Amino acid sequence: MIELYTWSTPNGRKASIMLEELGLPYRVIAVDITKDQQHDAEFRKISPNGKIPALLDHESKDASGQPRRLFESGNILIYLAEKTGILLPESGEERTETLGWLFFQMAHLGPMVGQWHWFKNAAPEKSDMAIKRYREESLRLLEVMNAQLEEVPYLGGAHYSIADIACYAWAKTAVEELSEEETEAEVVSGLNPLLNWLKRVGARPAVIRGMQIPDDQQKEQAATRSSLRESLE
């Protein structure tokens, strides 16, 4: 059994979509980042940087005989793909392309869209310079994806992969927010390969299910427990 520690963010949904695509049995433990539960000492034993998602794989043991911990979303996607032999080519150009777009998301798409969202919606002091910078960079990254998707149906090439899973929720978030911006909406509406890819990936049953994790009941459990240890016992 796999335990998934997650919340309803684009990073968290990478892991739940992946698990749904693979059909692996897993248990969800919601970590409410709006209440700083990611800083719980028990959670930090699983995710040293205090970030979701994280996994405990009870089918695989670490050197001390404990369930193997997996932290950092890209690491989780690669681990699960290699564990099952699915959604990551074993070798060749499509593998390097897939990994390239996976790291594109982790190094660029996620951080830029995340910073834009924070400065736009959560920063205690508004910074027009920061909002403009991260909005424009988010749009540029979508245009980079769009250029790739003009050539191939999926980011890694001919086949759906962990690169698409990694980028989907972040690109969806960016497109939705940019579509609300009067100055950017027209540009976004012209990114047809990207928009078609979002529809195609978003229609996959596993993606639909994964985007709903954690569900309302799992969030309620996070709200009522006194510590993460309750979920571990």
Side-chain angles (χ1 to χ4, degrees), residues 5 27 29-32 35-45 220-233:
Y5 297 79
R27 174 192 177 202
I29 300 172
V31 179
D32 189 344
K35 297 181 179 179
D36 291 333
Q37 291 181 353
Q38 72 273 26
H39 300 307
D40 186 297
E42 292 298 323
F43 180 65
R44 294 290 286 269
K45 293 177 182 177
E220 184 177 345
Q221 290 171 348
T224 57
R225 68 173 178 245
S226 59
S227 71
L228 192 63
R229 177 168 290 280
E230 291 182 16
S231 298
L232 298 173
E233 294 174 344

Side-chain angles (χ1 to χ4, degrees), residues 95-126:
R95 179 183 175 89
T96 56
E97 283 289 304
T98 295
L99 291 175
W101 287 102
L102 171 65
F103 288 108
F104 164 88
Q105 184 279 307
M106 292 188 292
H108 303 287
L109 184 64
M112 294 301 103
V113 176
Q115 290 291 338
W116 175 41
H117 179 82
W118 189 83
F119 277 107
K120 179 183 176 184
N121 300 306
E125 295 184 12
K126 186 174 181 180

Side-chain angles (χ1 to χ4, degrees), residues 10-221:
N11 267 347
R13 284 167 171 160
K14 294 184 213 174
S16 53
I17 290 172
M18 183 66 172
L19 287 164
E20 291 290 338
E21 289 283 7
L22 299 176
L24 293 173
Y26 68 102
R27 174 192 177 202
V28 175
I29 300 172
V31 179
D32 189 344
I33 63 174
T34 70
K35 297 181 179 179
D36 291 333
Q37 291 181 353
Q38 72 273 26
H39 300 307
D40 186 297
E42 292 298 323
F43 180 65
R44 294 290 286 269
K45 293 177 182 177
I46 304 168
S47 178
N49 196 33
K51 301 292 184 180
I52 60 93
L55 298 183
L56 283 179
D57 185 353
H58 289 265
E59 296 178 352
S60 182
K61 306 298 182 182
D62 63 18
S64 65
Q66 297 300 308
R68 182 179 296 187
R69 72 177 187 182
L70 278 298
F71 57 93
E72 296 299 324
S73 57
N75 182 39
I76 289 169
L77 292 180
I78 294 172
Y79 173 81
L80 292 174
E82 293 184 339
K83 177 184 175 76
T84 59
I86 300 173
L87 297 176
L88 176 62
E90 292 185 2
S91 62
E93 181 181 353
E94 197 160 339
R95 179 183 175 89
T96 56
E97 283 289 304
T98 295
L99 291 175
W101 287 102
L102 171 65
F103 288 108
F104 164 88
Q105 184 279 307
M106 292 188 292
H108 303 287
L109 184 64
M112 294 301 103
V113 176
Q115 290 291 338
W116 175 41
H117 179 82
W118 189 83
F119 277 107
K120 179 183 176 184
N121 300 306
E125 295 184 12
K126 186 174 181 180
S127 170
D128 291 335
M129 179 184 296
I131 293 171
K132 180 176 184 292
R133 167 180 165 76
Y134 290 116
R135 181 182 67 241
E136 290 179 351
E137 181 63 5
S138 295
L139 177 57
R140 188 191 72 81
L141 294 170
L142 293 181
E143 291 172 336
V144 172
M145 292 176 64
N146 190 69
Q148 171 72 352
L149 293 165
E150 284 182 333
E151 304 296 328
V152 290
Y154 296 103
L155 289 169
H159 303 103
Y160 177 74
S161 72
I162 59 174
D164 304 288
I165 292 173
C167 290
Y168 172 73
W170 282 110
K172 181 176 185 293
T173 297
V175 164
E176 289 174 349
E177 293 213 23
L178 284 165
S179 296
E180 297 173 358
E181 301 273 337
E182 185 177 348
T183 57
E184 315 291 3
E186 185 175 350
V187 177
V188 172
S189 67
L191 301 177
N192 292 320
L194 173 69
L195 297 177
N196 289 335
W197 170 83
L198 282 171
K199 290 179 183 178
R200 193 162 62 250
V201 173
R204 294 177 67 91
V207 174
I208 294 170
R209 293 192 300 269
M211 289 291 287
Q212 296 170 347
I213 300 297
D215 60 27
D216 290 343
Q217 182 178 0
Q218 291 155 353
K219 288 181 178 180
E220 184 177 345
Q221 290 171 348

